[in-house]
Amino acid sequence: MKNSLICWLLLLLAGPAALANSDLTPTQLRVEYRTNPFTDEAKPRLSWVLESGRRNQHQSAYRILVASKPELLEAGQADLWDSGKIANDQTAQVVYGGTALTSRQQCFWKVQSWDKEGQPGPWSQAASWEMGLLEAADWKAAWIGKDFAPGTAPAPFKGKELLLPPAPIFRKEVSVGQKLVKARLYITALGLFEFKINGQRIGKDYLAPGWTDYNQRVYYQAYDVTEHLKSGKQVLQARLSYGWYSGYIGYALLVGNPVVRAFYGEVPALKAQLELTYENGQTQTVATGSDWNVSSGGLSESDILHGETYDAREEPENWHLPGYDDSHWEAAEHIATAERQLQLYPAQPVQVTDTLSPVSITERTNGTFIVNLGQNIAGLIRLRVKGKAGDKIVLRFGEMLHPDGRLMVENLRMARATDTYILKGDPEGEEWVPGFTYHGFQYVEVTGFPGTPQKENFTGLVLGSNTPRAGHFETDHPLVNQLYQNIVWTQRANFVDIPTDCPQRDERMGWTGDAQIYGGTSALNMDVAAFFTKWIRDLQDAQWESGAYPDYAPAPSVRASDTFAPGWMEAGIINPYEMYRAYGDTRIIERSWENMEKFMAFHAKRSGDRYIYPEGSFADLSPKGGYGDWLSIGKKTPPDMLATIYYGYTAQLMAEMAAAIGKSTRALHYQELAGKIKAAFASHYLDETSGKLTTNPKPYGDGSGYVDGHQGFSGHTQTAYANAIYHDFLSKSQQEAAGKHLADLLAANGEKLATGFLGVKQLLPALSATGRSDLAYQLLLTTEYPSWGFEIENGATTIWERWDSYVKDDPEKMESLNAGMNSFSHYAFGSVYEWMFRNMAGIRAELPGYKSFTIAPEIPKKEIHRAQASYQSIHGEILSSWKRSDSSLSLEVVIPVNTRAVVWIPTDDPASVLLDGKSLHGQADISLGNFLDGRQAVVLGSGRYRFESTLHP
Ligand code: BGC
């Protein structure tokens, strides 16, 4: 009786909207882009996705409840926040507005939405988040470590011998009392860590805590370890490696840099704290300190680039058991280090996202085998083996084989990429997965295997940031499907904590040019919101004093000449902008604003306030002009012309972003600036009469010092027109002329592309924008060099760095290539997916976060008969799926609840268009738009719609 009275009272307190009269249901509740995360955002942003069985549905209001306990939430008692009924249609980026959150606060939340008729839907399922350690004083743990190579610092690398000290292991026994209700592990490293409790690995993360400018910030991970602990003696175990902090990074070895490793510090360090809460409210904290013991544990070498050597005989037996005698171990050393800003890792960590079995194993010479995974990946091999103690298995990794079957390692340059396992001889067999390295590979050369290796001895572990899949794409054309798969695999191989250029050679750095070109595309494949939240911070941390953004981030300059470059440095503007467009994220704009303004001021100064970069403006860089249209073919597009376009383009983006965060004066300023840059560009680089883009090659001299400068420079290139069109630099008539010139250039080049990094993304969209979708399709489908099809014909399973990275069965060609600069997993050329998504499938965001969008597929006349793209937007799933026959087209679309779309249905005859088998006229669910250029427009609210129309090729 008393209970039911309380329930009734609670119901009353929960407010008016308890009963559901609508089917509008909030699902996929997320906080800071993740599901039930730990966060240290003081005011985290919440989002949900609405579902409804009705068409044209949207949210008219919502209410969020946040409680400190699940029971309270269930009872409708929102002791942290009751938003009240908020009358708007926002379902993402909703900022928490309740009681100030403190360290360790658990927050349980749910949301209810009202439909367009003002009827309430059911409450969502409950979700949660938990605050991390918000105050420096929360940390009781010391940095501990062990210097296994004393006296080597700061001795620079000389010769070929690598300095790879062993990885220390740490051990601590703790007594856990009765009735433990909650246990959290907060852990980080200057280096990389792996943590176990009683022999069980905590978390699934690899390469944690990730790469940052460790001098400015270090991320930590938080884990719920309640289930791992029992009362009584428990064993805490850690292993620590060198990682990006004190291991080898980049191509420092290759270029003979004075510093080749330990860029941030010599000795790695671990900081961990286990916090236990008992039923009676008592807490207990176990923190790293000199009461932890340290030893070496079999991992005699471990390095991201070079791989691991592990001797299973050296791992202390039973050190995971309570009572193991570690008295002969040493006390862990306090590592004296400056205090650093510790923050919760804001993104999905690097994890094993897939496993692959070998497709073949072949014996080459006596005892040397080649394992083929059938797919180029970034990751590791899990080895399962039975043999004698002391048997030594060596695994070398490569992306390709030479035509004679040898493993190709030339393109790894100075990355040793070798893992060695020495067996302890367990009669039951043994299993090993390296913990602190990864490789870019499809093939593994195995030597020393006891007996004949079988497929089941090897499992390929696909490693990468565990960004949720957001898109799928499929057609009836195998080449296009393979291309799409190659793009996705390349992204998976290179989104490894940061967006790297490549996963295999001695580089793997966050090159900014690559990331700005591909950033937008990446969001179509995976949910990269949290991933880029992290990396944009890295980029800001690496911004130069001058305001320029660097060539790569994070990382100290590997060599003095790595400074900034047009087309690279703009990542600081373009990547935040892509986040805003994809997810409607304005916080990233606010948090980047000062940095971005500083960058634009750098531009103004550098260009002498002339709004233009004339030829030779970047001759002081090394290489001169920067990297320009990197890896293009034939005559070079002047880097200064591209720099001017990038300046104008970023001014345009700044105007849009300023408006988005309510800075209207700055918006106006940047709008005007963009106009001035475009005008200056036209008067300098455009021949008004012919509409040709031109350049004065004189300042480039013989081109020496410029990337591929010997090819000569021309303004009349594919890349030049593609950029001017794509970045909206031309008037309507100029654009028309530019489109013709671009088509002529293609014709003169045998209908082949010639673009490099700075032209490839823009090329097909520029053709479509100037009415030559046919040419865009032709480029996409050709298999002649240079093209995406050529790569696929030559066996590519990922996107190559160069258009001619490999030619099947042509050893001579291979010899003539630049073997060292030849990655088989480089995503820049994969930016063609932007066109496939936006033009072939025709999905294009109008408002940020796809709050409103267009579906306008470009249907080719031949070869492809069916294409389908789906995309999990922040508002829900979008689909565009078309299929054509000789005389008709069907188009199926899905529009998420709470969004609107204009769909353009290709047809010869607007009267032939049917929706759900019925004429469009008088249909209640849609409003009819214009018939324009062979396409009938309809305006749609949410729902699934199937159109048919007549369409002849
Ligand atoms: C990287 C690129 C990068 C470039 C600069 C290369 O070594 O792999 O992808 O953008 O250097 O031109």
Side-chain angles (χ1 to χ4, degrees), residues 2 55 258 274 294 416 472 549 708 800:
K2 204 166 145 205
R55 276 182 178 168
L274 177 69
V294 64
R416 190 183 64 177
H472 291 276
Y549 290 101
D708 292 335
W800 297 347

Side-chain angles (χ1 to χ4, degrees), residues 782-946:
T782 182
T783 54
E784 277 175 49
Y785 168 79
S787 67
W788 296 276
F790 178 80
E791 299 185 3
I792 291 165
E793 288 275 292
N794 281 284
T797 61
T798 35
I799 300 289
W800 297 347
E801 178 171 25
R802 296 166 176 274
W803 294 113
D804 60 353
S805 281
Y806 190 81
V807 188
K808 220 163 43 181
D809 310 325
D810 187 348
E812 261 173 50
K813 171 79 187 162
M814 285 314 305
E815 295 315 314
S816 69
L817 280 173
N818 178 346
M821 261 294 299
N822 194 9
S823 143
F824 292 92
S825 187
H826 239 74
Y827 52 61
F829 290 164
S831 55
V832 67
Y833 183 61
E834 187 181 298
W835 179 87
M836 292 158 70
F837 182 81
R838 287 198 194 168
N839 296 76
M840 197 190 304
I843 306 171
R844 201 180 279 256
E846 296 301 336
L847 289 177
Y850 294 78
K851 185 82 177 91
S852 87
F853 58 97
T854 305
I855 296 184
E858 288 168 23
I859 314 290
K861 294 206 186 312
K862 46 182 194 213
E863 299 194 80
I864 300 176
H865 306 89
R866 181 170 67 75
Q868 164 166 331
S870 66
Y871 172 63
Q872 185 66 35
S873 78
I874 199 154
H875 291 103
E877 202 197 10
I878 295 173
L879 173 81
S880 165
S881 172
W882 56 258
K883 199 172 164 184
R884 73 174 169 82
S885 70
D886 287 344
S887 58
S888 69
L889 176 87
S890 78
L891 173 64
E892 191 175 346
V893 300
V894 174
I895 320 294
V897 174
N898 217 23
T899 68
R900 290 185 85 68
V902 179
V903 178
W904 292 87
I905 305 147
T907 184
D908 312 324
D909 170 15
S912 74
V913 183
L914 305 178
L915 165 61
D916 304 329
K918 285 184 272 184
S919 156
L920 292 187
H921 290 278
Q923 292 234 24
D925 290 333
I926 62 167
S927 40
L928 212 51
N930 292 335
F931 178 66
L932 211 67
D933 296 334
R935 297 177 308 180
Q936 173 64 52
V938 289
V939 184
L940 304 176
S942 67
R944 180 179 287 269
Y945 302 82
R946 202 187 151 81

Side-chain angles (χ1 to χ4, degrees), residues 251 413 501-502 505 507 511-514 568 627 630 757 801 821 826:
Y251 46 79
R413 300 196 306 216
D501 56 334
C502 56
R505 68 177 176 229
E507 205 152 346
W511 281 94
T512 45
D514 311 41
W568 269 250
Y627 307 105
W630 184 245
F757 275 32
E801 178 171 25
M821 261 294 299
H826 239 74

